[in-house]
Amino acid sequence: MVTLPTYADVEAAAARIAGVAHKTPVLTSRTADDALGASLFFKAENLQRMGAFKFRGGYNAVASLSPAQRKAGVVAYSSGNHAQAVALAAKLLGAPAVIVMPHDAPAAKVAATRGYGAEVVLYDRYTEDREAIGARLSAERGLALIPPYNHVDVIAGQGTAVKELIEEVGPLDYLFAPVGGGGLISGSALAARALSPDCRVIGVEPEAGNDAQRSLAEGRIVHIDTPKTIADGAQTQHIGDLTYAIMKRELAEIRTAADAELVEAMGFFATRMKIVVEPTGCLGLAAAKQIKDRLKGKRVGIVLSGGNVDMKRFSELLGA
Ligand SMILES: *Cc1c(COP(=O)(O)O)cnc(C)c1O
């Protein structure tokens, strides 16, 4: 039996990250509201420290370690944002950090991770197993492994963004958030269930990697090959047992969005709302547009999960 995090864990995480993580703004857009016929509230985690919500879970997890564990150091594996999150959290908390990253991760993410003082170990995401590499480093060097999503403190930390969102704008009818390994959507669902019990929580995956959608449909955790998508924050091969259990219990639905829909949303955010949102962060708006008939007159929260995209890549994708 696994012990699942609860809303009390989200509240404890909120206290731990207070004054360290940004309380990010909630943005609105008259243009987006008119286009969907709904009231949209965008939680701008692209403006979070290190550029994504992952700082919340990473900091909460490192801060929850014993002083001795912190002194020994931490290890994390990640396609990018979790790496930076753990690297920055470790730096702030005085812990050494080793980060296992794919060799084709966006250059900006690798550079930022090194910039926070972490040691970066590169691997091939199409042929090597990052979980095995993380486990080996943890055993060899006595480092505490901070997994990217399947961890009570990580899930609880991720839930603080939606806690802030609902506390600021009030109850929601719908909430959309991206799904990679499911840490963000799980924490978000715990917060939504506690603060806005009637809210329908919808997770959104890249079309090329709908393993979470299939997992809920088939009643078991489905493993897939690393999906080829521009949503690099959601290129996970499987969800975890904790995130699976919470998603199964709390989600109304999982939808998918194609890369072209993400590019369209990214262009909308840049031109109309003047913000940079990375492709993965665009999943929520892309899915909301797909079901706009159901959203008429509703109050809809959308988590913009991050903003870390190379400027070169950003302009290539937008055809600029
Ligand atoms: C990690 C990440 C996600 C997915 O979060 P999970 O907790 O793995 O589901 C979504 N968006 C961005 C920007 C991310 O970095």
Side-chain angles (χ1 to χ4, degrees):
M1 254 312 276
V2 294
T3 304
L4 298 179
T6 66
Y7 182 63
D9 295 308
V10 179
E11 287 180 303
R16 248 176 240 120
I17 69 168
V20 186
H22 293 318
K23 187 168 182 292
T24 54
V26 178
L27 306 178
T28 57
S29 158
R30 188 70 65 85
T31 312
D33 284 1
D34 288 347
L36 274 83
S39 298
L40 306 183
F41 302 97
F42 297 99
K43 180 64 169 166
E45 287 296 295
N46 56 317
L47 304 178
Q48 184 50 264
R49 286 186 81 166
M50 53 63 53
F53 73 91
K54 290 249 178 30
F55 181 66
R56 297 172 180 272
Y59 189 88
N60 188 48
V62 180
S64 299
L65 296 173
S66 70
Q69 272 178 310
R70 243 188 270 170
K71 188 150 174 284
V74 298
V75 58
Y77 47 81
S78 163
S79 56
N81 286 330
H82 178 64
Q84 291 171 75
V86 172
L88 175 56
K91 179 178 136 133
L92 293 171
L93 291 160
V98 179
I99 308 292
V100 182
M101 299 184 79
H103 65 75
D104 60 346
K109 293 185 180 181
V110 178
T113 305
R114 289 209 174 100
Y116 293 131
E119 175 188 341
V120 172
V121 174
L122 297 174
Y123 78 105
D124 182 344
R125 74 162 107 201
Y126 297 102
T127 61
E128 290 183 285
D129 178 0
R130 66 184 191 166
E131 292 176 33
I133 298 170
R136 178 169 52 76
L137 286 166
S138 165
E140 281 173 7
R141 302 207 210 167
L143 306 170
L145 181 66
I146 312 284
Y149 50 84
N150 201 47
H151 186 285
V152 169
D153 298 320
V154 172
I155 294 169
Q158 316 308 30
T160 59
V162 165
K163 175 179 186 288
E164 289 173 7
L165 168 64
I166 298 174
E167 283 174 350
E168 181 169 336
V169 308
L172 299 170
D173 299 306
Y174 285 86
L175 175 73
F176 293 84
V179 175
L184 174 64
I185 196 76
S186 296
S188 300
L190 294 176
R193 186 66 52 239
L195 300 174
S196 180
D198 295 330
C199 178
R200 297 175 67 77
V201 180
I202 299 183
V204 192
E205 286 184 299
E207 198 173 84
N210 68 333
D211 60 292
Q213 188 182 53
R214 285 177 53 196
S215 297
L216 294 197
E218 295 178 28
R220 66 185 178 95
I221 298 174
V222 171
H223 290 240
I224 59 169
D225 290 336
T226 300
K228 296 207 163 57
T229 166
I230 60 170
D232 58 84
Q235 278 183 310
T236 36
Q237 293 174 274
H238 58 85
I239 57 179
D241 57 348
L242 303 180
T243 57
Y244 171 74
I246 297 172
M247 287 162 78
K248 198 172 132 174
R249 190 182 74 199
E250 304 290 358
L251 296 201
E253 185 183 353
I254 296 192
R255 302 193 64 83
T256 63
D259 283 0
E261 294 173 283
L262 302 182
V263 169
E264 192 185 315
M266 200 166 76
F268 173 81
F269 288 127
T271 56
R272 306 309 295 255
M273 293 178 69
K274 318 302 173 192
I275 52 172
V276 174
V277 182
E278 64 182 276
T280 315
C282 296
L283 284 162
L285 178 60
K289 284 170 72 176
Q290 295 167 355
I291 57 165
K292 73 179 227 188
D293 292 350
R294 280 198 249 158
L295 303 184
K296 285 260 166 311
K298 303 292 187 194
R299 295 167 52 80
V300 180
I302 296 181
V303 180
L304 306 182
S305 53
N308 291 327
V309 51
D310 283 321
M311 273 307 110
K312 187 165 164 289
R313 179 97 177 109
F314 184 72
S315 34
E316 276 166 13
L317 286 170
L318 295 181

